[in-house]
Amino acid sequence: MSAIEDRPIGFGRLKRKEDARFIRGQGNYLDDIRLPGMVHMAILRSPFAHARINSIDTSAALALPGVAAVITAKDLETLGLAWMPTISYDTQAVLAGDKVRFQGQEVAAVIATDEYIARDALQLIDVDYEPLDAVVNARKALDADAPLIRDDKEGQIDNLASPTWEAGDEDATDKAFAEADTVVARDIIYPRCHPAPLETCGMIADFNPETGQLDIYNGNQAPHAHRTVYAHVAGLAEHMIRIRCGDIGGGFGNKVPVYPGYVCAIAGSIVAGVPVKWIEDRSENLMSTGFARDYIMKSEICAKDGKITGLRVDVIADHGAFDSTAQPTKFPAGFFHIVCGSYDLQASHVKVKAVYTNKAPGGVAYRCSFRITEAVYLVERMVDALALEMKVDPIDLRMRSFIKEDQFPYETTTGWTYDSGDYHKTMRVAMDIAGYEDLRREQAEKRARGELMGIGVSFFTEGVGAGPRKHMDILGLSMNDGADLRIHPSGKAVVSLSAQTQGQGHETTFAQIVAEELGIPPEDVEVRHGDTDKSPYGLGTYGSRSTPVSGAAVAVVSRKVRDKARAIAATILETRLEDLAWEKGRWYVKGDREQGVSIFDITKRAYSGEALPEGFEGGLDAQVIYDPPNLTYPYGAYIAVVDVDPETAHVKVRRFIAVDDCGVRINPMIVEGQIHGGLAEGIGIALMEVITFDAEGNCLNGSFMDYLIPTALEVPDFELGETVTPCPHHPLGAKGVGESPNVGSPPAIVNAVIDALYESHGVDHLDMPMTPARVWAAMQGNAEPP
Ligand code: CDP
């Protein structure tokens, strides 16, 4: 047995390489970095949601010993940095000059010798505010007498943030509704929540006035795209900017945007000529950086002959004070129009209009692919509402309406081409794990005793892996990813990626892809990412795009190396290319397995002084840029079992069954970990997480005391299952998975709560989060808690 055959190679349940340093506390996060001469920055934020700024007096702050500079909008104006472009082609104030437009907006930045002095100095800045009426309700923002938020924009006369965007066929949808025998309508809100990564956002900017080089240390999900933005915003040459992302304590979409604090840190370092560090605290993170969701949805669904036939949706998207929502340019409502779900509909139609409110900007894809979470929530709630009306089992209705296995690739009524699936099979696996019939029997018995048990189902289809350059770009940058693979003479390999891990285990799984394709053990493959000087250009990690795009790039680049290795093997074995066959780790002569040469010996030869095939320059490496032909479409069937306490209205998720199909699994253990994490987040969103505001626009959830995230006490032992339907166009047959559980779980839980309460209390709809107060109010017949 050769050395390589002794070791686990390729796909499988390999322990995460990176965990060795994480569990020993040896991760290297932004706040661990201390540069010589580094100073610290703190940001003064607005206490008002809407107010004119009459004046800012910084003299007392400047007089505090240790304070080096106080930056205001006026200073930034002289550098041309007072406003910055957003990811959605809007503009956003870096520091407020004319007025503040949300509570927590950046007003001034203090640079001082340490972070405590910087924060103390904030208290000494005297801002003369003239409060204005605020509007935080997106529906009210459209009223004619609503205060105008974006008076900085020429020609802006109302709070509309974009023209209405549509998808699907309105006439065909009207026809489907006219022909239907059942129609159900619901108003559904996906409330504002927050990704709340463990590590908040921050940056160290280090501008060298001698060389003009700007070094940035920062935890972000898309370092290359950030560098391009900084080059434009700061007018610096892109190659003179280097971004290094070390370990990142979670991103979940929160670390995709460019925040004003980053621009201030860069401006601060350019002005001060020393490294400037800025790290926000928890309240700043919750109150002012990228929120998620905040979709107000009006919808109707219809059925004919027992099958779902049509869906129409009218959405108001609340974008906050600046439109910095994350989405590919041509999709102003992200991928929301995947709202037709997993069903073979006759027609559907979607309208979305966006609105400015006096709330923090964002609209980030919190563990989702650009609004798919909102879409899945909507359709899965609507299907359940329809099942209630039709008095049929919600799984029966789904089974009758699913796209069938032989319909793939399937063109949806809003223009998506789903790649592959067997929805019926996946649903049946979930029913088997749950023991669905037994659960319904148990529920009937409990109901007879006055106990409130609910069983909730959701079935989601996602579109992840943005995306094909013919359809998708962000700020004009195509959504392709690069990979660069080098095999060293010793046989060890380095693969550089444009994907950026934030804890998803890329150092392990991408090494496994190289291992699977080349037979080099994963421990001998180093995965490099997060340094713009050392990794190929690409758009980063969000929307579960790593496996569909960068994973594919790594497979393709490995195959390129394998092809080169084949030519070298032919030279070594003195045979023709077509006479060689590959098995993991070696090329051998067809019909004579003994006559072969391993990838290690091929590599040695590639670097040796011995003859190489004609045209070969020596060494063994390859580069690719991968343009995915389509998104990948993972899907899953989720079943939640809840108990609602009739005395306290507390919802307990007793069981949660998740059957995911993400195509071929590279590392099933990591996939399961991803699913566990996403399900926990989904439980949080469904039951307790929300960012709300009072009428004046004060944010009511600015700390973990009042923005509740789930703990081990709130999550059950998850029961996972899988089906494997390979993606036909991905080189490995893999689809993304990271966000699926966050997408699929909230509707299952909400459907379960409604299922628990409908018969006894007549509750047929309730918006998230399902806090005891809200559930209790619904049980008393009130829509909202008192
Ligand atoms: O973009 P992000 O890394 O967040 O999401 P992903 O592509 O869904 O991958 C999450 C993690 O699961 C990565 O470590 C993947 O390599 C792994 N994964 C896998 O092992 N098999 C799949 N079919 C999908 C993801």
Side-chain angles (χ1 to χ4, degrees), residues 374-409:
E374 291 86 331
V376 165
Y377 181 69
L378 190 274
V379 67
E380 289 307 293
R381 282 291 302 121
M382 291 306 289
V383 171
D384 254 46
L386 188 60
L388 268 191
E389 180 71 22
M390 292 167 68
K391 299 188 181 8
V392 296
D393 182 279
I395 292 189
D396 279 353
L397 180 59
R398 285 177 171 84
M399 286 291 214
R400 272 184 259 144
S401 309
F402 277 152
I403 298 159
K404 296 189 185 67
E405 190 194 357
D406 60 9
Q407 289 178 283
F408 289 94

Side-chain angles (χ1 to χ4, degrees), residues 504 506 509 541 544-547 662 664 666-667 671 735 737-738:
Q504 299 96 320
H506 291 181
T509 47
T541 296
S544 289
R545 62 188 299 281
S546 302
T547 304
C662 58
V664 172
I666 298 156
N667 185 326
V671 168
K735 306 182 180 189
V737 75

Side-chain angles (χ1 to χ4, degrees), residues 691-771:
I691 299 276
T692 48
F693 300 83
D694 68 13
E696 277 81 47
N698 295 304
C699 179
L700 304 179
N701 310 86
S703 80
F704 279 160
M705 288 299 285
D706 33 33
Y707 187 82
L708 300 182
I709 52 174
T711 66
L713 293 179
E714 281 83 29
V715 298
D717 282 341
F718 298 119
E719 299 167 65
L720 305 189
E722 69 173 293
T723 56
V724 176
T725 313
C727 170
H729 63 77
H730 188 283
L732 303 169
K735 306 182 180 189
V737 75
E739 64 200 33
S740 293
N742 189 314
V743 168
S745 54
I749 294 163
V750 174
N751 286 342
V753 175
I754 303 295
D755 185 57
L757 300 179
Y758 178 67
E759 263 202 24
S760 52
H761 295 77
V763 177
D764 63 5
H765 178 68
L766 196 51
D767 285 322
M768 297 184 288
M770 313 235 123
T771 57

Side-chain angles (χ1 to χ4, degrees), residues 307-309 342-346 401-404 407 410:
K307 181 179 171 301
I308 311 165
T309 49
S342 314
Y343 308 103
D344 182 24
L345 302 183
Q346 189 179 323
S401 309
F402 277 152
I403 298 159
K404 296 189 185 67
Q407 289 178 283
Y410 177 85

